[in-house]
Amino acid sequence: MNKNIIDDLVSLLCECGMLYHSDFQRIRDGLNPETSIDQAIDEHLQLQLPKIFKASYLSEETIWIKPRVEDWCWIVDPVDGTENLIAGSPNVATSVALINPGGECVLGAIHAPLLKETFSGVRGAGAFLNGEHLTGNGNISRNILSMAFPCRGPAISDLIGGQVASLLRNSWTIRASGSAALDICNVARGRWSAFFEESTYSWDIAAASLIAEEAGCFVSTATSKHYGDDPHVRGYLVAATRQLHSQLELILKGNNVDC
């Protein structure tokens, strides 16, 4: 069943990818912007996902809806990296995960049309980039971490500043691309050593976390990985190669460690 679902989901996300090439209007500005492309993809997914598998629907654009925890649920980010889209950066993607009634992510896919990259994963069956198997092993000569800065950053600026200082003291190189989903996938492909964000939401991380785990990486969060516990706020997330994960968590708590 999961093989058919993931194949159909990838095809659907490629359809959505065509919308990224359209002219767009800015619907909402501020810390959480929205464009007409966000809306168009969200509407298309709401219509088409039930044809692949009937389930509840939660997306960044429908955050007022809380699915019942006993339901299967699609968790969707129509455009991860909306600010990048507005700025003309190609680091944007559509992310979709399927959550079972126990709150576990069983499969997910992330399509970055402007980069021509599609990541997918099925629990227990591996992770893939454009059909090629991912192992989480790369040729990284330094510890490179991609760090996302949440929209509520001003409220936790002291905390984030301390984390950045700890990382720099321990010789980590920091990057920020503006798409949490793609950054986690870049850990899965071995491009980055790790990813960290202090404040995440389920639509940001559900599909990407599964893909990273299936590629052999380790993912930890502030809360349970069972999305039915609270499908909205997830708190911090650390994704890293297994040999670096425990060291990175110590650093983020303000400790100097021998990396």
Side-chain angles (χ1 to χ4, degrees), residues 1-2 5 9 12 42 44-59 62 65-76 96-107:
M1 179 187 74
N2 286 347
I5 293 175
L9 176 58
L12 175 58
D42 192 51
H44 189 62
L45 290 173
Q46 285 193 64
L47 180 65
Q48 297 300 324
L49 282 174
K51 298 178 183 179
I52 296 175
F53 187 85
K54 188 173 179 59
S56 300
Y57 185 89
L58 172 69
S59 90
T62 60
I65 299 173
K66 184 172 183 178
R68 295 182 304 170
V69 296
E70 65 267 24
D71 287 344
W72 286 85
C73 182
W74 292 107
I75 295 184
V76 174
V96 178
L98 181 61
I99 311 302
N100 69 18
E104 181 181 54
C105 180
V106 296
L107 59 84

Side-chain angles (χ1 to χ4, degrees), residues 146-184:
S146 179
M147 188 170 181
F149 297 91
C151 61
R152 69 184 187 96
I156 53 175
S157 59
D158 289 344
L159 174 62
I160 293 174
Q163 292 164 343
V164 169
S166 292
L167 289 163
L168 295 176
R169 281 196 300 270
N170 285 275
S171 301
W172 279 76
T173 299
I174 300 174
R175 299 285 184 263
S177 80
S179 169
L182 288 179
D183 280 345
I184 296 170

Side-chain angles (χ1 to χ4, degrees), residues 4-53:
N4 292 335
I5 293 175
I6 196 67
D7 288 346
D8 290 345
L9 176 58
V10 167
S11 295
L12 175 58
L13 293 188
C14 289
E15 289 179 17
C16 293
M18 300 300 295
L19 295 169
Y20 281 86
H21 299 283
S22 307
D23 293 333
F24 63 86
Q25 295 179 328
R26 296 171 70 155
I27 306 300
R28 183 180 64 235
D29 291 316
L31 293 176
N32 187 27
E34 181 184 13
T35 72
S36 54
I37 293 178
D38 297 71
Q39 287 190 343
I41 292 175
D42 192 51
E43 291 169 1
H44 189 62
L45 290 173
Q46 285 193 64
L47 180 65
Q48 297 300 324
L49 282 174
K51 298 178 183 179
I52 296 175
F53 187 85

